[in-house]
Amino acid sequence: MDLPDTITTRRAVLGGIGTLAAGGGVVYGASQLDSESSASTTGQFQQSSKTTGFDINLQGHPIMGDLDAPIDMYYWSDYQCPFCRRFEQNAFPKIIENYVKTGTVRVVFIEFPYLSDNSMTAAVMDKCVWRQVRDSSPDTYLRWHSTLYDEQESKGSGWASKSNLLEITRGVEGVDASAVKTCMENHRSEIESSINEDMNKASQFGIRGTPAFILYNRDADAAGKLVGAQPYGRFKEAFKQVQNAG
């Protein structure tokens, strides 16, 4: 389903839409999040095998924040996207400080590598890094993730080649670049298939580029969509509207 860039609400995840307010997002309603009782509940980063009421399968996705946080923020990104880098450096730290650390929001990181083949390479490496750190030191993932955006160069410059990304990875404390390389060699086809499934799911929500976000109030079954490197104030307003949707 193609969702308009306004705050709205609906009775079912793929049902009818009614307007709630204007302002850079979209909102839904009508199913509950599956129980998270089997998921990890320690550390800033978590993992889960559940599917949310918004029909997002959490398996294999890094989750930052309290698993019981009432609002999900699904974050689709491409490591070659300059607007993702802008979001990472501007609005994201404030969202982490004011919403994630306070237990209000959990962020689900989802790859959307649409810009080039090297975007897919970076996305596959992202999955391999998460596999390597998720059980022993999951918070290390953010260090790697942020480093890639800090090292981002222009699309087509070759900076996101496998060899260069591995060189960057070697400089990130806590990440075993050799294990990541082996993962990519042994599991790339499987990982690419899962990423393509995620991209197909995102297209149902009208997502065609990055960064893109859906803010989902699980209790109210309401959600809002934001697209692009929006300023922090837009996120603040969207969170407020989604929180009040119930």
Side-chain angles (χ1 to χ4, degrees), residues 1-5 26 76-78 81 83-84 111-116 119 198-214 225-228:
M1 169 144 194
D2 195 356
L3 307 176
D5 291 329
V26 181
W76 287 270
S77 64
D78 183 320
C81 167
F83 300 104
C84 295
E111 297 305 301
F112 195 88
Y114 74 108
L115 288 173
S116 76
S119 293
D198 290 335
M199 294 180 74
N200 289 336
K201 172 66 68 174
S203 69
Q204 297 176 23
F205 308 136
I207 292 170
R208 300 180 181 86
T210 58
F213 313 87
I214 287 179
K225 185 175 76 174
L226 287 170
V227 177

Side-chain angles (χ1 to χ4, degrees), residues 61-197:
H61 295 303
I63 305 168
M64 177 172 33
D66 189 340
L67 284 178
D68 294 326
I71 296 176
D72 287 351
M73 185 171 90
Y74 309 120
Y75 169 29
W76 287 270
S77 64
D78 183 320
Y79 282 107
Q80 292 203 98
C81 167
F83 300 104
C84 295
R85 185 174 191 258
R86 184 183 303 173
F87 164 74
E88 292 272 340
Q89 295 179 340
N90 295 315
F92 199 24
K94 296 176 183 177
I95 292 171
I96 294 172
E97 187 66 29
N98 297 324
Y99 291 96
V100 177
K101 289 185 177 180
T102 61
T104 302
V105 171
R106 64 179 192 179
V107 180
V108 181
F109 293 77
I110 309 175
E111 297 305 301
F112 195 88
Y114 74 108
L115 288 173
S116 76
D117 290 343
N118 279 349
S119 293
M120 178 61 82
T121 295
V124 172
M125 189 172 294
D126 175 282
K127 295 287 191 181
C128 284
V129 168
W130 177 239
R131 290 185 181 191
Q132 196 252 311
V133 305
R134 64 189 177 188
D135 294 324
S136 58
S137 57
D139 292 355
T140 303
Y141 170 80
L142 185 61
R143 184 182 306 133
W144 181 86
H145 171 93
S146 299
T147 297
L148 252 62
Y149 280 112
D150 288 342
E151 296 291 332
Q152 186 190 85
E153 298 178 18
S154 61
K155 176 191 168 189
S157 67
W159 81 273
S161 66
K162 180 181 176 182
S163 59
N164 193 58
L165 291 177
L166 284 171
E167 186 61 31
I168 293 171
T169 300
R170 292 184 186 98
V172 179
E173 183 179 357
V175 180
D176 184 343
S178 295
V180 171
K181 181 174 182 289
T182 299
C183 170
M184 294 186 72
E185 291 170 349
N186 294 341
H187 301 290
R188 178 157 188 159
S189 178
E190 161 217 330
I191 292 172
E192 284 193 8
S193 293
S194 71
I195 291 171
N196 285 327
E197 288 177 8

